[in-house]
Amino acid sequence: MAALVYWPDERPHRMGISQGFEILESGFDPPPPNLIPLLPVDDRSIACAVCVSQEKWCGKDAPQPGPAPCVVVRWHLDLIPADEQGALLDSDASQYLETVAAEFAARPGVMRRVHAIAEGYRKEYVAEDRRPRGGVQRPIQLACQNVIIGLATVQHEPRFDGLRVDNYLTCEAPHLAAHEANRAMLALVLCDAFQNGGTMEIRFGRDIPPALRRYARSLGLPAGEQERGTLTPEESRRLFMAVTPMPDDLRARCAVLMDRGVLAPERLCYTLMSGVWSTVELDFILATTPRAPSILMGGCDRTDRSARLAESETCRAALMVGMFMRRLGSQDKAAGGPEGVRVFEDRADRVLFTVLDSYGAVAVEGGSAMPWSTAAAAEPAAGRPMIVVPRGLPTPADEAILRKLAADFPAADVALLVPTDLADLLTAEVPCIRCPDGLAELDQQIEGRLRSLRIGRA
């Protein structure tokens, strides 16, 4: 800690405050005048304390008030998106320095323990091709672009029916947003807590990890008491909702279900974080059917045929919308471009969507060329939105919905999204988008997803 904190003296093993300001001024973006450098976050960013508010410093005519005094923000030296510059690291400068010092002191011991546990786990389970039970201590290593940003060990503890996390360690990296390592590691830990069927109580040992306390303070959420080192089930659920990314509309729909006590927050978050249903798929399910709680619990009993058919139809539509959105945003042309070279890279165009619950449709905007369209579904003009009406089993009533959507949204193109083996049953005048999967393939995928929600908790 002494080698990193900016001190006003000029001793050789420490960096003076003047050097700290010089490094801060050498960045691509000029820093605000109310930042005082504290210590490096990583090689290309600095933790800074806000000495006075931006509004007070700049006067009443300041365009926007800055962060409150005494908070700690992260200032990058490189060119980064404007909304990521000055991200909040902690709500209190003194607590930030205290937790960083504690983290640096504990880091060597945590790394040695995790390495020893990982080596034993590799010999006993990985090398023997065995799967451990939930009560076995398991190592977690979190990496991004070949940089290890998190280490932890977890195990289900039957004595209190919760998760024990004896070791937890994260770090910041120049190419990641502030606290992204904590967000990702906490998401893994919370998913494990849900999957093992416990009460969502998490015990860390003597105290809450310093990095996790900083992250919780930046979110404005409680993170247990330091003396007991425990996250209560309610605190875990709040953190689970905070670390799970979702659009505002979906978050509002989830809040309605949670307020009514229909679904637990951890089940909704686990469904998204584990990839059982994607964001647009879950949003469509919650918006268009009252049977959403049953679907997220793994589906109704097979003997209830009417309910089963209703759930299957909703799931088919949601699954086709998810496939359509992924294909619409993909930059991979599959057959190769005119240059004759196909490049595989994890890139996607940004596609915005809005679920129109009263129509059972989804409005999309952005993305690449429209996939799967037929002759009746003309290619939309550049910048023109598209409304798709997904139906696993289309009926004549759906054609009326298309006409009503076309009348209500004249600035958008409207088309029916159906499985490939049902597209030929529609009349030629109906604008149609043909999903490449047939009804049987869709039902097979749906059953796998419902099964994973039924047996997801060990």
Side-chain angles (χ1 to χ4, degrees):
M1 185 69 175
L4 293 176
V5 175
Y6 295 120
W7 293 93
D9 57 340
E10 300 293 339
R11 280 179 281 182
H13 65 283
R14 292 176 176 173
M15 183 177 293
I17 192 72
S18 59
Q19 284 93 335
F21 277 111
E22 288 177 4
I23 295 176
L24 197 60
E25 294 289 347
S26 67
F28 183 88
D29 293 325
N34 61 332
L35 296 185
I36 297 180
L38 294 179
L39 71 159
V41 176
D42 49 52
D43 295 339
R44 302 300 300 165
S45 63
I46 299 177
C48 301
V50 180
C51 59
V52 294
S53 68
Q54 184 77 9
E55 186 176 12
K56 182 177 180 180
W57 186 278
C58 300
K60 295 182 179 180
D61 296 332
Q64 289 182 350
C70 296
V71 304
V72 181
V73 297
R74 182 185 184 188
W75 195 263
H76 290 264
L77 304 179
D78 299 322
L79 176 62
I80 66 166
D83 56 345
E84 296 293 342
Q85 188 68 282
L88 184 65
L89 287 175
D90 206 325
S91 59
D92 186 89
S94 61
Q95 290 184 349
Y96 177 79
L97 294 175
E98 179 184 342
T99 54
V100 169
E103 188 176 24
F104 284 168
R107 180 171 292 179
V110 173
M111 294 183 70
R112 285 195 301 269
R113 291 193 298 270
V114 173
H115 182 270
I117 293 171
E119 184 62 23
Y121 182 87
R122 185 190 66 82
K123 292 179 180 179
E124 188 170 355
Y125 294 101
V126 178
E128 300 294 331
D129 197 20
R130 296 170 54 203
R131 184 174 181 177
R133 294 182 178 272
V136 175
Q137 195 171 39
R138 304 178 304 283
I140 297 176
Q141 177 176 293
L142 184 64
C144 179
Q145 296 183 8
N146 298 327
V147 177
I148 297 176
I149 58 175
L151 297 171
T153 58
V154 299
Q155 66 182 109
H156 180 72
E157 182 58 73
R159 286 181 296 180
F160 61 90
D161 194 21
L163 197 71
R164 178 173 294 279
V165 183
D166 290 329
N167 302 282
Y168 181 99
L169 187 65
T170 60
C171 68
E172 303 287 352
H175 59 285
L176 293 179
H179 285 304
E180 185 63 19
N182 284 309
R183 190 197 68 81
M185 180 62 77
L186 187 57
L188 287 173
V189 170
L190 291 168
C191 284
D192 198 281
F194 173 82
Q195 194 171 14
N196 278 288
T199 60
M200 296 300 294
E201 179 179 338
I202 301 176
R203 296 187 182 180
F204 292 92
R206 289 182 299 179
D207 56 13
I208 302 291
L212 185 54
R213 295 206 303 271
R214 291 196 302 271
Y215 180 49
R217 285 197 298 267
S218 71
L219 296 173
L221 296 175
E225 298 178 4
Q226 183 175 351
E227 291 75 17
R228 58 187 173 93
T230 301
L231 288 177
T232 65
E234 181 60 29
E235 291 169 343
S236 296
R237 293 184 179 102
R238 291 181 181 177
L239 286 171
F240 212 171
M241 286 296 294
V243 302
T244 304
M246 60 180 77
D248 293 339
D249 289 348
L250 177 56
R251 192 173 293 274
R253 299 188 212 279
C254 292
V256 171
L257 291 178
M258 292 185 295
D259 292 342
R260 291 164 49 197
V262 177
L263 274 176
E266 59 266 32
R267 179 170 290 277
L268 289 165
C269 296
Y270 178 81
T271 300
L272 281 176
M273 298 299 288
S274 62
V276 177
W277 294 106
S278 68
T279 302
V280 64
E281 292 166 351
L282 182 60
D283 199 1
F284 184 87
I285 291 172
L286 296 183
T288 58
T289 177
R291 301 205 58 83
S294 175
I295 293 174
L296 297 183
M297 294 289 289
C300 65
D301 190 87
R302 292 176 179 271
T303 58
D304 191 350
R305 292 184 60 84
S306 60
R308 186 76 175 183
L309 287 173
E311 292 180 3
S312 297
E313 179 61 15
T314 299
C315 291
R316 290 167 189 153
L319 188 59
M320 288 191 295
V321 165
M323 295 171 61
F324 178 78
M325 289 286 292
R326 287 190 296 272
R327 183 65 187 88
L328 186 63
S330 175
Q331 293 187 359
D332 178 25
K333 303 307 179 185
E339 66 279 1
V341 178
R342 183 180 181 187
V343 178
F344 291 89
E345 192 170 342
D346 187 16
R347 295 185 301 171
D349 293 323
R350 187 184 183 191
V351 181
L352 304 177
F353 73 89
T354 302
V355 178
L356 308 176
D357 48 359
S358 58
Y359 298 95
V362 179
V364 297
E365 188 172 359
S368 56
M370 187 63 59
W372 314 334
S373 57
T374 61
E379 187 78 15
R384 186 175 171 87
M386 179 81 179
I387 299 178
V388 293
V389 182
R391 296 292 185 268
L393 296 172
T395 64
D398 297 322
E399 298 185 20
I401 293 178
L402 287 181
R403 291 191 294 269
K404 182 170 177 53
L405 280 168
D408 294 345
F409 301 93
D413 295 298
V414 182
L416 202 62
L417 175 60
V418 298
T420 185
D421 49 1
L422 296 181
D424 295 335
L425 302 180
L426 301 174
T427 59
E429 294 78 17
V430 177
C432 172
I433 299 177
R434 185 193 298 259
C435 176
D437 284 354
L439 205 60
E441 290 85 358
L442 293 175
D443 288 344
Q444 185 176 8
Q445 295 181 55
I446 291 168
E447 180 56 33
R449 299 192 184 198
L450 295 179
R451 188 187 305 113
S452 66
L453 290 174
R454 289 195 295 270
I455 65 175
R457 308 198 76 182

